Amino acid sequence: MVSEVWKEVKGYEGLYEISNHGRVRSLDKVDYLGRKYKSRIMKPQKNNKGYYQVIFTKDRKIKSHYVHRLVALAFLPNSDRKFQVNHIDGKKQNNSVENLEWVTQEENIQHAYDTGLNCASNRAKGERSGKAKLTKNQVIEIYTRVHKGESGPILANEFGVTRYTISDIKRGKIWSWATKNIEVEEVS
């Protein structure tokens, strides 16, 4: 493992440091009331998206910072002026400099799709989704009946959904994973 290297956080010189391992520490300081604080490793908090953040205080102002951005700003050159930091292994808690890279928004999105971090298979689907109004069996029934020529508005009324939902099921726009292997002879 690479030995740990510490650098001052830009804009917070003399107050905070970041390491190439993704650890953050506050330095010895005295606050505006004269209270002394010893240097310590800070415990980052995970936000609702799974990223680690730390809270910095300077001149009586409080601001939160993403740990991965602090590492990238301190240790990764950014000659291409890219604005987002990507976790190469897809693990948001791994803020080691070896796991980070500067990317464009497009590159970050593509990485998420390429690695399966942002795909339908990672989200609750079908009946497990909190938004589901239909069961898989109901969708299969709708799919079969609509392809046999039954009226979308009538099916929508029967199943308590909109005609747009029926249309989306028919076209495979939604629930396609449930209907992809169903063969139905369409009535002309």
Side-chain angles (χ1 to χ4, degrees):
M1 182 173 211
V2 178
S3 62
E4 191 165 24
V5 176
W6 292 91
K7 289 189 177 182
E8 289 186 312
V9 175
K10 290 178 183 162
Y12 294 91
E13 293 82 356
L15 298 171
Y16 300 97
E17 291 182 335
I18 185 78
S19 85
N20 57 330
H21 291 183
R23 296 196 311 156
V24 184
R25 70 181 172 195
S26 63
L27 302 177
D28 289 346
K29 62 184 168 190
V30 178
D31 71 9
Y32 68 98
L33 294 173
R35 294 179 291 202
K36 294 180 182 179
Y37 293 91
K38 287 270 190 205
S39 177
R40 67 176 179 86
I41 301 294
M42 298 176 69
K43 184 177 179 184
Q45 299 298 310
K46 198 184 298 184
N47 73 4
N48 61 353
K49 293 183 180 179
Y51 293 102
Y52 280 129
Q53 291 181 296
V54 289
I55 305 291
F56 288 168
T57 304
K58 179 181 175 184
D59 300 328
R60 299 168 73 177
K61 293 180 184 167
I62 298 170
K63 187 172 181 185
S64 67
H65 297 272
Y66 288 113
V67 173
H68 63 283
R69 283 196 66 80
L70 295 173
V71 173
L73 288 166
F75 293 96
L76 295 176
N78 189 9
S79 57
D80 293 332
R81 296 193 174 162
K82 297 181 178 183
F83 295 105
Q84 293 189 6
V85 180
N86 180 45
H87 290 84
I88 297 167
D89 69 1
K91 296 177 183 167
K92 298 173 184 177
Q93 293 78 36
N94 181 359
N95 292 311
S96 173
V97 70
E98 293 85 16
N99 187 47
L100 302 175
E101 63 183 344
W102 287 105
V103 293
T104 63
Q105 181 176 5
E106 293 79 17
E107 290 168 336
N108 208 8
I109 291 167
Q110 188 62 52
H111 178 263
Y113 279 99
D114 291 347
T115 58
L117 295 170
N118 188 13
C119 67
S121 63
N122 288 340
R123 293 188 290 271
K125 60 184 175 184
E127 298 165 53
R128 292 179 294 150
S129 167
K131 298 178 180 178
K133 293 183 179 179
L134 299 168
T135 65
K136 180 180 177 184
N137 289 338
Q138 288 174 317
V139 169
I140 291 169
E141 183 179 347
I142 291 168
Y143 183 85
T144 304
R145 289 171 60 184
V146 77
H147 278 87
K148 287 185 175 181
E150 288 193 44
S151 166
I154 291 172
L155 288 170
N157 188 42
E158 180 181 336
F159 287 93
V161 295
T162 68
R163 61 188 173 99
Y164 300 109
T165 299
I166 302 298
S167 175
D168 286 347
I169 290 170
K170 180 181 180 182
R171 294 181 297 138
K173 194 171 179 184
I174 58 173
W175 289 85
S176 60
W177 60 272
T179 59
K180 68 181 173 189
N181 294 323
I182 298 175
E183 291 184 31
V184 179
E185 283 190 36
E186 290 196 42
V187 178
S188 313

